[in-house]
Amino acid sequence: MAEKKKNILLQGGILAGAGIITKIIGFTYRIPMGNMMGDKGNGLYSVAFGIYGIALTISSYSLPLAVSKMVSARVAKAEYQNMRRVLVSALVYALIAGMIAMNVLYFGAGILEGLYRKPGLARPLRVLAPTTFIVALLGVFRGYFQGHGDMVPTSVSQIMEQIVNAAISVFATWQFMHMYGESEDASSYAAAGGTLGTLAGAATALLFIMYLFGMTRQRYMNKVNPGERLESGSSIYKALFLTIIPVILSQTIYQIGYTIDDLMFGKLMALHKYEIDVVTSLQGVYNTQYNQLVNLPVAIATAMAASTLPSIGLSRMQNDTKAVNQKITQVIKVNMVIAFPSAIGLSVLAEPIMKMMFPRLVTYQQQAIMLLTVGSSAVIFYALSTLTTSILQGHNYMRLPVIHSAVSLGVHVILLGILLVLTDLNVYALVICNVLFPLIVSILNCIAITRKVGYQWELVNTFLKPLLASVAMGMVAYVMYHVFFDAFKNVYIVSCLAIGAAIIVYAVLILQLRCFDEDELRSIPGGRVLVRLMR
């Protein structure tokens, strides 16, 4: 049992580590690509990806989880033939769902371009269309390996996918801008170049994981259990759909929120007589310069949390309520210790961040700075909502997060419509509603965790102390930047000094405030060093 627990935690850590690496690569390559595309190209790219995200969610996003759960359940009972039937059934589903999604995107691209009022949107959508088919198949094979307790194929394929994606996206964007830079369709071609990397990365990952499947096929596929009772095809498909549908519903609500924003913004801004190119450019600023920066710390925090969630599941299976509560506290605390300083740091250093990362996007630079300044608190609420959703689902409350997200989305859409129609907030309305959505989900999830799980919140150490340390850190960073900028006049040097001082101040305060006890610190990577420092 101890060996099994150690293996689960190790595999969870591998997958979480790969998640962090891929998010960092994804963030990094978007910076040069975004600078080359320009605001309008970024707008087309982000709207295309919002539509692609919905197609992906409906067709294949849930497949790794569904397949891994079904495969692992049958492997645990030595039902090897049923395991093979699950794989075949999932591949059939992926082929059908992926093909439908691909055809809808490819042949419906022109209709979607008109619906979103985005001339040139069809071109990146048609490049993304075959990617949905590839990712559907990829999800099945990743779930198959995960079902056998092996996270390495998924992790390596994710990293390979993102590396190829980054290289091809940047090169293709540069090449298309070089070829079509003087054309009126330059932004459309630039967006298509960026999506070409997504297609190439997914294809590379699929080829790699199919190669691994071929290499390990005999190990997994030739096992026989003479006493096995065979399941019918209908029962396997039923189990597959019952596993897929809750995940689809939950994730579709998140994904559809982004594309509803794009659709409403494009339609309702016309009421205020904004030109189409201006609307598209403002969407590019919001999705590329604001959302990318907000999503990075959230992705890192939740990926780190993912390595702890399997441990929570094990303690729950052992009916160890005390251990479950301790681990929930720890994982939320780690998230908040990352989220609070990230939010405040992005807010107080919004100006130098924008100038350093997007030096060529100057037309709407002040709007981008203001968006990040007022909307960075979304980092905290997205981190908390994502984590609390995972905790509820880990306790088999699958429907609650879906209901909470649906309620929040309804409020979000109504408020966004009111703000866009009755005020001239334009892109700032998107930011207000972007903060509101995860805030409502977080509140509803936290109430449910208290009532359903019986968890008692540790408010001071989990929320108050990280907030106080982050505020002090933000004040130091703000003063350091403005004082030293007058002396050096170099945004890169001064930003490095301010960020370095902020990190030191925050780390010292977190240790001095005793946000973590020694046992909690030892369980964090590098925690033993921190224990010695604290002593």
Side-chain angles (χ1 to χ4, degrees), residues 346-521:
L346 288 173
S347 182
V348 300
L349 296 177
E351 181 179 347
I353 288 170
M354 288 300 173
K355 289 180 176 178
M356 287 190 299
M357 292 188 171
F358 303 101
R360 295 178 63 179
L361 304 181
V362 296
T363 306
Y364 298 95
Q365 190 175 78
Q366 288 306 311
Q367 286 92 332
I369 292 169
M370 187 56 65
L371 290 178
L372 193 58
T373 300
V374 301
S376 62
S377 60
V379 171
I380 299 165
F381 304 127
Y382 271 115
L384 185 59
S385 65
T386 303
L387 181 57
T388 51
T389 292
S390 298
I391 291 170
L392 285 171
Q393 290 176 339
H395 284 79
N396 289 329
Y397 296 109
M398 302 297 289
R399 294 173 57 190
L400 279 177
V402 178
I403 295 170
H404 297 164
S405 297
V407 170
S408 183
L409 181 61
V411 176
H412 170 99
V413 170
I414 293 170
L415 180 62
L416 180 61
I418 292 171
L419 293 177
L420 288 176
V421 171
L422 300 182
T423 73
D424 196 23
L425 284 171
N426 60 67
V427 73
Y428 299 108
L430 291 175
V431 171
I432 292 169
C433 294
N434 185 61
V435 174
L436 182 67
F437 176 78
L439 173 60
I440 294 174
V441 175
S442 295
I443 292 171
L444 295 175
N445 281 354
C446 289
I447 293 172
I449 287 174
T450 301
R451 291 178 176 176
K452 301 292 186 180
V453 179
Y455 175 69
Q456 299 297 314
W457 293 88
E458 192 179 304
L459 298 177
V460 174
N461 285 334
T462 304
F463 298 101
L464 183 58
K465 289 182 180 179
L467 174 60
L468 293 174
S470 299
V471 170
M473 176 213 75
M475 293 171 64
V476 170
Y478 182 84
V479 171
M480 285 278 291
Y481 176 77
H482 287 280
V483 168
F484 281 96
F485 190 78
D486 291 335
F488 291 99
K489 303 294 183 183
N490 186 302
V491 68
Y492 296 96
I493 294 174
V494 177
S495 296
C496 289
L497 290 172
I499 292 170
I503 291 171
I504 293 171
V505 168
Y506 184 71
V508 169
L509 286 174
I510 285 294
L511 293 176
Q512 288 297 319
L513 290 171
R514 296 294 193 270
C515 186
F516 294 96
D517 60 34
E518 290 192 11
D519 290 337
E520 288 174 328
L521 280 175

Side-chain angles (χ1 to χ4, degrees), residues 114-181:
L115 181 64
Y116 280 79
R117 299 182 76 247
K118 293 287 179 288
L121 181 63
R123 194 169 281 113
L125 281 178
R126 289 195 176 107
V127 176
L128 284 170
T131 315
T132 56
F133 179 73
I134 293 170
V135 173
L137 297 176
L138 179 60
V140 174
F141 286 109
R142 282 174 171 168
Y144 166 80
F145 281 108
Q146 290 174 31
H148 286 89
D150 188 357
M151 305 298 174
V152 174
T154 295
S155 302
V156 175
S157 68
Q158 284 178 341
I159 295 171
M160 288 179 64
E161 178 182 3
Q162 199 68 297
I163 290 172
V164 173
N165 184 0
I168 300 297
S169 292
V170 173
F171 175 76
T173 301
W174 173 81
Q175 185 65 34
F176 283 12
M177 288 298 291
H178 179 71
M179 294 169 61
Y180 303 103

Side-chain angles (χ1 to χ4, degrees), residues 78-94:
E79 295 179 357
Y80 302 114
Q81 193 164 337
N82 286 331
M83 178 269 291
R84 290 189 283 272
R85 288 187 169 197
V86 167
L87 177 62
V88 172
S89 299
L91 284 172
V92 171
Y93 171 86

